[in-house]
Amino acid sequence: MSLIEVMVAVLVLAVGLLGIAAMQSLALRGGQSSLESSQAVMATSSMLEAIRANPTQAASYNMGKTCATPAAGTTRVSNDKSAWVASIKTMLGNAATTCGQVTNCGPGLTCTVTVFWDDSRGGADQGGSSRSLAVETQI
């Protein structure tokens, strides 16, 4: 009889440990997804600060959804764009789905900076595999 009690206790303990492991897995996925979202916010802020530092050329920062790192050029704008796309690829993963976009920038306009990335490790419960974050501000 005591052997059956021990087996039941081990079974209950095993089910409890499996539940704890599942919760730990969900917590890690949620933490990674949150980290990537925070990094995307920092990336959009860095591009907006670069635009604010060069307000006379704000319209030159406009670019469509760019997934490949643009070549750095001889101008400050081209260097800023290249460095920004390279930095989001470093922070959020150098995948084909990690992209940046800057639209509607110019004097007196509401500039929108968008970062796109793949959050497949986060799972469907954390927002799915394709995520984006857009920040708007007036320059």
Side-chain angles (χ1 to χ4, degrees), residues 76-95:
R76 180 176 175 183
V77 173
S78 63
N79 289 336
D80 285 346
K81 287 180 181 181
S82 177
W84 182 64
V85 173
S87 74
I88 62 174
K89 288 195 168 288
T90 300
M91 287 190 292
L92 300 172
N94 195 9

Side-chain angles (χ1 to χ4, degrees), residues 97 117-121 123-124 127-131:
T97 56
W117 74 97
D118 178 23
D119 192 18
S120 57
R121 288 182 293 180
S129 62
S130 181
R131 305 255 331 254

